[in-house]
Amino acid sequence: MQKSEFEDLKNNPQFMLDLGQREEAAVKAKDVAAMYEILDTAVMLDLPAERLNRIYTEILQTVFDRLAEKLTSESFFDLSDRQDLFTLRGIYEHGIERYSENDFKGAKEIFLIIHHTAADETLSRAMMPHIAAAASRMPLDDFIDELVDVDNPNESETYGFFLTNFRPAVEGFMQEKAETLENALKELETLKK
């Protein structure tokens, strides 16, 4: 869509009313995927920051409620389930947000949670460099510049929200940070006891 088409939608009272009703229904139903659709639309329409923040806050509250349910029931997130996929997206984006703010401990803990709760080998394995980098206090920009294969992102519907493709340099990094990673993984084990 062109910028003028977004402006037309933004100025269309019926479209905006429908968007508001869809948002209300998604929040009431605790439908993370639908909330993300609303958020993505709101971002494209360049709606006010307060509205974007309100939607994102609802998403975070819902995904962490769902995480608590998974942890309590000792079950895993199934990426073939749309709600589970978007829940992990929300958790991951929060982890990246923490990481970008240099909250290395918080980011590491979130990546550890994803590593241990995703019933998906690709995503679980992709969290290992994230955990090692955050535990090593490597800035997010350096992590992306040095380790992430930004030229070949994983654009699949399942993994498109996550950094899962890495440069060959990740192997040396993971060997160098093996002890740091092992200590981070042990931290989570002690919490289980």
Side-chain angles (χ1 to χ4, degrees):
M1 284 186 130
Q2 305 231 343
K3 188 169 175 96
S4 63
E5 293 174 293
F6 286 123
E7 282 300 314
D8 289 345
L9 286 175
K10 193 174 173 179
N11 295 320
N12 179 327
Q14 186 59 50
F15 177 82
M16 294 305 291
L17 178 65
D18 291 345
L19 184 65
Q21 290 172 341
R22 286 180 28 227
E23 178 183 339
E24 188 178 310
V27 168
K28 186 176 181 181
K30 304 269 184 216
D31 184 334
V32 180
M35 283 190 265
Y36 261 114
E37 288 173 7
I38 303 299
L39 180 62
D40 293 343
T41 301
V43 168
M44 286 188 287
L45 294 173
D46 195 27
L47 295 183
E50 312 85 61
R51 178 136 184 218
L52 301 178
N53 289 334
R54 186 176 68 241
I55 299 167
Y56 188 61
T57 299
E58 287 291 342
I59 288 171
L60 287 180
Q61 183 175 351
T62 303
V63 300
F64 282 102
D65 287 348
R66 291 195 79 222
L67 173 62
E69 290 169 13
K70 291 288 185 184
L71 293 173
T72 301
S73 66
E74 296 182 16
S75 57
F76 296 93
F77 288 106
D78 175 0
L79 269 61
S80 66
D81 177 282
R82 190 166 162 77
Q83 290 301 317
D84 280 1
L85 174 62
F86 279 85
T87 297
L88 282 173
R89 173 187 173 181
I91 295 167
Y92 180 74
E93 287 178 356
H94 186 67
I96 292 294
E97 184 180 351
R98 301 267 46 89
Y99 197 2
S100 71
E101 295 170 353
N102 295 326
D103 177 2
F104 300 111
K105 183 180 184 300
K108 174 191 70 175
E109 290 168 354
I110 290 172
F111 300 143
L112 278 164
I113 287 168
I114 295 169
H115 169 73
H116 284 289
T117 61
D120 182 89
E121 185 64 29
T122 299
L123 184 57
S124 184
R125 193 177 37 227
M127 289 302 107
M128 299 301 264
H130 287 75
I131 295 163
S136 302
R137 303 181 67 80
M138 176 186 230
L140 177 62
D141 289 343
D142 292 349
F143 172 70
I144 292 171
D145 292 344
E146 296 173 24
L147 302 177
V148 177
D149 189 352
V150 293
D151 295 327
N152 296 301
N154 193 332
E155 295 177 354
S156 77
E157 196 172 317
T158 302
Y159 303 111
F161 304 119
F162 310 96
L163 298 174
T164 59
N165 289 1
F166 298 94
R167 298 174 188 264
V170 79
E171 290 174 28
F173 173 78
M174 293 302 289
Q175 288 175 352
E176 178 186 319
K177 301 297 181 186
E179 186 176 338
T180 302
L181 181 60
E182 188 177 322
N183 290 335
L185 293 170
K186 281 181 185 172
E187 282 178 35
L188 196 62
E189 289 303 314
T190 59
L191 292 176
K192 288 182 180 179
K193 295 177 182 175

